[in-house]
Amino acid sequence: MPIQIKANRVPHLGLGWGEQLDNALEQGVLQRLMADVRTEYDRGTVFPRWEDIFRAFLLTPFEKVRVVILGQDPYHGEGEAHGLSFSVPAGTKFPPSLRNIFKELQRDLGLSPPLFGDLEHWARQGVLLLNTCLTVRKDEAGSHARIGWEQFTDRVIARLSDQRHGIIFLLWGAHAQKKEALIDTDRHFILKAPHPSPLSAYRGFIGCGHFSRVNMILQEQGEDPIDWALP
């Protein structure tokens, strides 16, 4: 779905998000950010595709969020990023972090590694796959870290914290764990572990048991568990 940028309006983000963020964001903040992002796309190769920037929000409506998996910025290799943190389109080779996520799923829940790495099945069950930066230049990790995305995604986290109850936030690695201050721990659950990258996965991510713990917490709240197996 193409993104429409109109004066004084938040771009279409999917059910519930526009209403929440239109009131929460200072007038014009997102519009100015998107103008800067558009310039970046015009100048060179940026990921994900323009129409996939807000895909996580389109797949997971505000009122349906049950779990948040927080990444940093999109994959910066050709054909990898498609708007969902840690996810890649079907047919794309698994990046190392995603490979380690599947290793922990196998260890934790006994799930065989899937044939593809598209995590849309999780998103449609209420798992918000959110990066703190939503765009990146090709082959330049962190290149949009100062463009203004974190002001926007911090608002997303804060609105979920303020307006919802019982969400489970998975904070993997130091960058994600810095966002803990935005979350009301009296209203929500936080599970922390090292990042699943090869540099830290075996220092505590493998063995964290987050996937089974998420389902235990959901069931204790009377909710259906997440089906982590990819169809």
mmCIF file of all heavy atoms in Angstrom, residues 87-113:
data_model
loop_
_atom_site.group_PDB
_atom_site.id
_atom_site.type_symbol
_atom_site.label_atom_id
_atom_site.label_comp_id
_atom_site.label_asym_id
_atom_site.label_seq_id
_atom_site.Cartn_x
_atom_site.Cartn_y
_atom_site.Cartn_z
ATOM 1 N N SER A 87 12.921 -9.835 10.356
ATOM 2 C CA SER A 87 12.279 -10.648 9.322
ATOM 3 C C SER A 87 12.893 -10.376 7.957
ATOM 4 O O SER A 87 13.407 -9.285 7.694
ATOM 5 C CB SER A 87 10.780 -10.312 9.297
ATOM 6 O OG SER A 87 10.095 -11.027 8.302
ATOM 7 N N VAL A 88 12.842 -11.391 7.078
ATOM 8 C CA VAL A 88 13.258 -11.230 5.682
ATOM 9 C C VAL A 88 12.199 -11.847 4.776
ATOM 10 O O VAL A 88 11.461 -12.744 5.193
ATOM 11 C CB VAL A 88 14.629 -11.888 5.394
ATOM 12 C CG1 VAL A 88 15.743 -11.180 6.142
ATOM 13 C CG2 VAL A 88 14.616 -13.372 5.729
ATOM 14 N N PRO A 89 12.094 -11.395 3.538
ATOM 15 C CA PRO A 89 11.121 -11.985 2.618
ATOM 16 C C PRO A 89 11.412 -13.461 2.368
ATOM 17 O O PRO A 89 12.553 -13.919 2.466
ATOM 18 C CB PRO A 89 11.301 -11.167 1.327
ATOM 19 C CG PRO A 89 11.959 -9.901 1.750
ATOM 20 C CD PRO A 89 12.817 -10.260 2.916
ATOM 21 N N ALA A 90 10.363 -14.206 2.048
ATOM 22 C CA ALA A 90 10.516 -15.624 1.711
ATOM 23 C C ALA A 90 11.516 -15.777 0.575
ATOM 24 O O ALA A 90 11.497 -15.017 -0.393
ATOM 25 C CB ALA A 90 9.168 -16.212 1.318
ATOM 26 N N GLY A 91 12.386 -16.764 0.704
ATOM 27 C CA GLY A 91 13.395 -17.011 -0.321
ATOM 28 C C GLY A 91 14.713 -16.310 -0.079
ATOM 29 O O GLY A 91 15.683 -16.553 -0.787
ATOM 30 N N THR A 92 14.769 -15.439 0.932
ATOM 31 C CA THR A 92 15.996 -14.709 1.258
ATOM 32 C C THR A 92 16.805 -15.492 2.289
ATOM 33 O O THR A 92 16.243 -16.034 3.245
ATOM 34 C CB THR A 92 15.659 -13.314 1.821
ATOM 35 O OG1 THR A 92 14.861 -12.605 0.864
ATOM 36 C CG2 THR A 92 16.916 -12.523 2.124
ATOM 37 N N LYS A 93 18.104 -15.548 2.112
ATOM 38 C CA LYS A 93 18.982 -16.219 3.070
ATOM 39 C C LYS A 93 18.830 -15.600 4.454
ATOM 40 O O LYS A 93 18.729 -14.377 4.587
ATOM 41 C CB LYS A 93 20.435 -16.106 2.596
ATOM 42 C CG LYS A 93 21.440 -16.812 3.494
ATOM 43 C CD LYS A 93 22.856 -16.639 2.953
ATOM 44 C CE LYS A 93 23.876 -17.290 3.876
ATOM 45 N NZ LYS A 93 25.273 -17.109 3.373
ATOM 46 N N PHE A 94 18.818 -16.435 5.484
ATOM 47 C CA PHE A 94 18.653 -15.929 6.844
ATOM 48 C C PHE A 94 19.883 -15.128 7.279
ATOM 49 O O PHE A 94 21.002 -15.659 7.247
ATOM 50 C CB PHE A 94 18.465 -17.073 7.843
ATOM 51 C CG PHE A 94 17.258 -17.940 7.618
ATOM 52 C CD1 PHE A 94 17.142 -19.155 8.270
ATOM 53 C CD2 PHE A 94 16.229 -17.549 6.769
ATOM 54 C CE1 PHE A 94 16.034 -19.968 8.083
ATOM 55 C CE2 PHE A 94 15.123 -18.342 6.570
ATOM 56 C CZ PHE A 94 15.027 -19.563 7.236
ATOM 57 N N PRO A 95 19.710 -13.887 7.717
ATOM 58 C CA PRO A 95 20.811 -13.177 8.369
ATOM 59 C C PRO A 95 21.179 -13.886 9.673
ATOM 60 O O PRO A 95 20.362 -14.614 10.250
ATOM 61 C CB PRO A 95 20.226 -11.784 8.635
ATOM 62 C CG PRO A 95 19.088 -11.657 7.670
ATOM 63 C CD PRO A 95 18.520 -13.031 7.554
ATOM 64 N N PRO A 96 22.398 -13.676 10.170
ATOM 65 C CA PRO A 96 22.839 -14.399 11.370
ATOM 66 C C PRO A 96 21.927 -14.227 12.581
ATOM 67 O O PRO A 96 21.679 -15.194 13.310
ATOM 68 C CB PRO A 96 24.232 -13.819 11.628
ATOM 69 C CG PRO A 96 24.716 -13.389 10.285
ATOM 70 C CD PRO A 96 23.494 -12.883 9.563
ATOM 71 N N SER A 97 21.426 -13.025 12.824
ATOM 72 C CA SER A 97 20.556 -12.819 13.996
ATOM 73 C C SER A 97 19.284 -13.645 13.879
ATOM 74 O O SER A 97 18.830 -14.256 14.867
ATOM 75 C CB SER A 97 20.209 -11.338 14.154
ATOM 76 O OG SER A 97 21.355 -10.586 14.480
ATOM 77 N N LEU A 98 18.693 -13.668 12.708
ATOM 78 C CA LEU A 98 17.467 -14.444 12.514
ATOM 79 C C LEU A 98 17.752 -15.936 12.651
ATOM 80 O O LEU A 98 16.946 -16.677 13.225
ATOM 81 C CB LEU A 98 16.868 -14.133 11.150
ATOM 82 C CG LEU A 98 15.541 -14.814 10.817
ATOM 83 C CD1 LEU A 98 14.464 -14.468 11.832
ATOM 84 C CD2 LEU A 98 15.080 -14.424 9.404
ATOM 85 N N ARG A 99 18.884 -16.378 12.154
ATOM 86 C CA ARG A 99 19.257 -17.780 12.301
ATOM 87 C C ARG A 99 19.333 -18.159 13.777
ATOM 88 O O ARG A 99 18.881 -19.240 14.193
ATOM 89 C CB ARG A 99 20.596 -18.030 11.605
ATOM 90 C CG ARG A 99 20.932 -19.508 11.431
ATOM 91 C CD ARG A 99 22.260 -19.696 10.717
ATOM 92 N NE ARG A 99 22.306 -18.969 9.461
ATOM 93 C CZ ARG A 99 23.183 -18.008 9.175
ATOM 94 N NH1 ARG A 99 24.087 -17.659 10.081
ATOM 95 N NH2 ARG A 99 23.158 -17.410 8.010
ATOM 96 N N ASN A 100 19.873 -17.261 14.607
ATOM 97 C CA ASN A 100 19.966 -17.538 16.040
ATOM 98 C C ASN A 100 18.603 -17.493 16.720
ATOM 99 O O ASN A 100 18.356 -18.219 17.692
ATOM 100 C CB ASN A 100 20.935 -16.568 16.707
ATOM 101 C CG ASN A 100 22.381 -16.896 16.384
ATOM 102 O OD1 ASN A 100 22.735 -18.066 16.213
ATOM 103 N ND2 ASN A 100 23.224 -15.877 16.297
ATOM 104 N N ILE A 101 17.708 -16.645 16.234
ATOM 105 C CA ILE A 101 16.331 -16.647 16.759
ATOM 106 C C ILE A 101 15.692 -18.012 16.516
ATOM 107 O O ILE A 101 15.045 -18.584 17.402
ATOM 108 C CB ILE A 101 15.519 -15.515 16.107
ATOM 109 C CG1 ILE A 101 15.993 -14.154 16.643
ATOM 110 C CG2 ILE A 101 14.024 -15.692 16.355
ATOM 111 C CD1 ILE A 101 15.403 -12.965 15.902
ATOM 112 N N PHE A 102 15.879 -18.552 15.328
ATOM 113 C CA PHE A 102 15.306 -19.863 15.023
ATOM 114 C C PHE A 102 15.975 -20.971 15.837
ATOM 115 O O PHE A 102 15.330 -21.956 16.211
ATOM 116 C CB PHE A 102 15.410 -20.144 13.532
ATOM 117 C CG PHE A 102 14.525 -19.278 12.682
ATOM 118 C CD1 PHE A 102 14.901 -18.910 11.395
ATOM 119 C CD2 PHE A 102 13.303 -18.811 13.160
ATOM 120 C CE1 PHE A 102 14.084 -18.109 10.610
ATOM 121 C CE2 PHE A 102 12.476 -18.013 12.390
ATOM 122 C CZ PHE A 102 12.870 -17.660 11.112
ATOM 123 N N LYS A 103 17.267 -20.821 16.143
ATOM 124 C CA LYS A 103 17.944 -21.795 17.007
ATOM 125 C C LYS A 103 17.319 -21.795 18.401
ATOM 126 O O LYS A 103 17.106 -22.854 19.000
ATOM 127 C CB LYS A 103 19.433 -21.469 17.100
ATOM 128 C CG LYS A 103 20.236 -21.818 15.870
ATOM 129 C CD LYS A 103 21.708 -21.468 16.066
ATOM 130 C CE LYS A 103 22.528 -21.790 14.821
ATOM 131 N NZ LYS A 103 23.956 -21.414 14.992
ATOM 132 N N GLU A 104 17.027 -20.607 18.916
ATOM 133 C CA GLU A 104 16.413 -20.537 20.244
ATOM 134 C C GLU A 104 14.982 -21.060 20.220
ATOM 135 O O GLU A 104 14.532 -21.709 21.170
ATOM 136 C CB GLU A 104 16.460 -19.102 20.782
ATOM 137 C CG GLU A 104 15.743 -18.883 22.107
ATOM 138 C CD GLU A 104 16.223 -19.782 23.250
ATOM 139 O OE1 GLU A 104 17.312 -20.387 23.152
ATOM 140 O OE2 GLU A 104 15.496 -19.868 24.251
ATOM 141 N N LEU A 105 14.257 -20.802 19.141
ATOM 142 C CA LEU A 105 12.917 -21.381 19.011
ATOM 143 C C LEU A 105 12.977 -22.909 19.035
ATOM 144 O O LEU A 105 12.147 -23.565 19.669
ATOM 145 C CB LEU A 105 12.269 -20.914 17.709
ATOM 146 C CG LEU A 105 11.453 -19.639 17.750
ATOM 147 C CD1 LEU A 105 11.109 -19.196 16.336
ATOM 148 C CD2 LEU A 105 10.183 -19.826 18.569
ATOM 149 N N GLN A 106 13.962 -23.472 18.362
ATOM 150 C CA GLN A 106 14.101 -24.924 18.342
ATOM 151 C C GLN A 106 14.458 -25.451 19.728
ATOM 152 O O GLN A 106 13.891 -26.445 20.192
ATOM 153 C CB GLN A 106 15.161 -25.339 17.325
ATOM 154 C CG GLN A 106 15.294 -26.855 17.145
ATOM 155 C CD GLN A 106 16.229 -27.215 16.011
ATOM 156 O OE1 GLN A 106 17.130 -26.458 15.666
ATOM 157 N NE2 GLN A 106 16.018 -28.376 15.415
ATOM 158 N N ARG A 107 15.393 -24.775 20.399
ATOM 159 C CA ARG A 107 15.789 -25.195 21.738
ATOM 160 C C ARG A 107 14.651 -25.046 22.742
ATOM 161 O O ARG A 107 14.403 -25.921 23.573
ATOM 162 C CB ARG A 107 17.002 -24.373 22.194
ATOM 163 C CG ARG A 107 17.646 -24.852 23.496
ATOM 164 C CD ARG A 107 18.262 -23.718 24.280
ATOM 165 N NE ARG A 107 17.244 -22.761 24.708
ATOM 166 C CZ ARG A 107 16.488 -22.933 25.784
ATOM 167 N NH1 ARG A 107 16.576 -24.030 26.520
ATOM 168 N NH2 ARG A 107 15.587 -22.015 26.115
ATOM 169 N N ASP A 108 13.947 -23.921 22.653
ATOM 170 C CA ASP A 108 12.914 -23.572 23.631
ATOM 171 C C ASP A 108 11.623 -24.352 23.421
ATOM 172 O O ASP A 108 11.030 -24.863 24.382
ATOM 173 C CB ASP A 108 12.643 -22.066 23.543
ATOM 174 C CG ASP A 108 11.748 -21.544 24.647
ATOM 175 O OD1 ASP A 108 11.578 -22.225 25.672
ATOM 176 O OD2 ASP A 108 11.202 -20.433 24.479
ATOM 177 N N LEU A 109 11.185 -24.455 22.173
ATOM 178 C CA LEU A 109 9.871 -25.040 21.882
ATOM 179 C C LEU A 109 9.930 -26.295 21.015
ATOM 180 O O LEU A 109 8.883 -26.869 20.699
ATOM 181 C CB LEU A 109 8.989 -23.994 21.191
ATOM 182 C CG LEU A 109 8.667 -22.736 22.012
ATOM 183 C CD1 LEU A 109 7.863 -21.756 21.169
ATOM 184 C CD2 LEU A 109 7.908 -23.096 23.278
ATOM 185 N N GLY A 110 11.127 -26.683 20.603
ATOM 186 C CA GLY A 110 11.245 -27.877 19.782
ATOM 187 C C GLY A 110 10.791 -27.690 18.347
ATOM 188 O O GLY A 110 10.507 -28.676 17.660
ATOM 189 N N LEU A 111 10.743 -26.445 17.874
ATOM 190 C CA LEU A 111 10.285 -26.177 16.517
ATOM 191 C C LEU A 111 11.423 -26.360 15.527
ATOM 192 O O LEU A 111 12.507 -25.810 15.713
ATOM 193 C CB LEU A 111 9.735 -24.746 16.409
ATOM 194 C CG LEU A 111 8.515 -24.424 17.272
ATOM 195 C CD1 LEU A 111 8.134 -22.955 17.086
ATOM 196 C CD2 LEU A 111 7.353 -25.331 16.936
ATOM 197 N N SER A 112 11.183 -27.083 14.480
ATOM 198 C CA SER A 112 12.189 -27.246 13.434
ATOM 199 C C SER A 112 12.427 -25.911 12.738
ATOM 200 O O SER A 112 11.487 -25.125 12.576
ATOM 201 C CB SER A 112 11.733 -28.284 12.406
ATOM 202 O OG SER A 112 11.562 -29.552 13.021
ATOM 203 N N PRO A 113 13.654 -25.638 12.322
ATOM 204 C CA PRO A 113 13.918 -24.382 11.604
ATOM 205 C C PRO A 113 13.029 -24.276 10.373
ATOM 206 O O PRO A 113 12.867 -25.244 9.633
ATOM 207 C CB PRO A 113 15.396 -24.510 11.218
ATOM 208 C CG PRO A 113 15.967 -25.461 12.219
ATOM 209 C CD PRO A 113 14.876 -26.445 12.517
#
